[in-house]
Amino acid sequence: MSLHSRYHHGDLRAALLQHAEATLRTVGADGLSLRQLARDIGVSHAAPSRHFRDKQALLDALAVTGLRRLGACFEEAETDGPITTRLRTMAHTYLRFAVDNPELLPLMFARRHSSTETEIHEAAERAFAVPIALIAQGQAAGEIIPGDPKRIGVTALAALQGLATFVGSGYTADYDAELLLDDLVSHLTLGLLPRRTSSGGATG
């Protein structure tokens, strides 16, 4: 069976995405080429255009793939227990994903005016549904400060992403990455706890 017939009926799209992600890890987004991907997997140079009209469409598809994978990681990590413990688990899950997928992250969080922008937005909403719902649960139980759950989640994500960038660049080589993560998660979770007034009541 030829490679071309192997990728018939949609298998080609999956093969292109898989090979594109592997290539992304070695040469970055600038080094990706639909024509080169076609050569690498043994199909005609025009074959990828059946699934991706251009390179940007391929990058957008990789972004959706990454967001869906992140969402699956959050779903697998979700468990029972105290809200703060579950939030720590979500934070650890995100940081490990970010450190393991540094090339995918810029694609996942880029905002472009393209035909797939809506798909990327919807994938992002689904990806972060679990941690945002967890924040809302904590607020309802009086265990997390009030406010827009999504806005609180974005703030925490920014801090985690910053640490992931530092770890990935080697800037934190003198420190144990897991200990740095524990420190950051501790600060984040403490910051999300409701403030206590002098009379013992909670306030935002």
Side-chain angles (χ1 to χ4, degrees):
M1 180 182 294
S2 68
L3 281 172
H4 187 78
S5 59
R6 261 180 56 199
Y7 298 129
H8 192 46
H9 296 311
D11 288 345
L12 175 59
R13 186 179 192 278
L16 286 167
L17 282 173
Q18 182 178 9
H19 196 75
E21 185 173 348
T23 304
L24 184 71
R25 292 177 182 273
T26 58
V27 301
D30 290 342
L32 278 178
S33 160
L34 285 172
R35 185 179 290 267
Q36 184 60 50
L37 288 175
R39 282 197 292 265
D40 290 344
I41 64 176
V43 296
S44 71
H45 68 84
S49 64
R50 299 170 192 159
H51 302 282
F52 307 108
R53 71 181 183 282
D54 54 23
K55 177 178 173 178
Q56 187 57 60
L58 173 66
L59 295 177
D60 289 346
L62 285 171
V64 171
T65 297
L67 287 164
R68 289 174 177 168
R69 190 181 305 156
L70 175 59
C73 289
F74 281 142
E75 290 175 1
E76 291 172 6
E78 174 63 320
T79 185
D80 296 325
I83 292 293
T84 52
T85 300
R86 294 161 68 191
L87 284 173
R88 289 178 71 90
T89 300
M90 291 294 113
H92 277 270
T93 297
Y94 178 76
L95 186 69
R96 292 195 181 98
F97 179 91
V99 170
D100 290 343
N101 299 275
E103 299 83 10
L104 268 180
L105 291 179
L107 304 183
M108 291 164 56
F109 297 117
R111 282 291 177 264
R112 308 178 188 86
H113 295 290
S114 68
S115 61
T116 54
E117 185 176 3
T118 299
E119 184 181 8
I120 294 174
H121 176 74
E122 291 174 350
E125 291 289 315
R126 289 193 297 270
F128 291 101
V130 170
I132 290 174
L134 188 54
I135 292 171
Q137 290 175 32
Q139 291 175 323
E143 298 179 37
I144 293 178
I145 56 174
D148 178 5
K150 187 173 181 180
R151 180 174 176 178
I152 292 172
V154 167
T155 301
L157 175 65
L160 289 166
Q161 182 56 36
L163 178 57
T165 300
F166 274 21
V167 171
S169 68
Y171 183 78
T172 58
D174 293 339
Y175 303 94
D176 183 288
E178 285 295 322
L179 292 179
L180 287 175
L181 173 58
D182 285 339
D183 288 345
L184 177 57
V185 171
S186 293
H187 295 321
L188 286 174
T189 51
L190 283 173
L192 293 177
L193 295 177
R195 287 26 166 188
R196 299 293 172 181
T197 64
S198 56
S199 61
T203 181

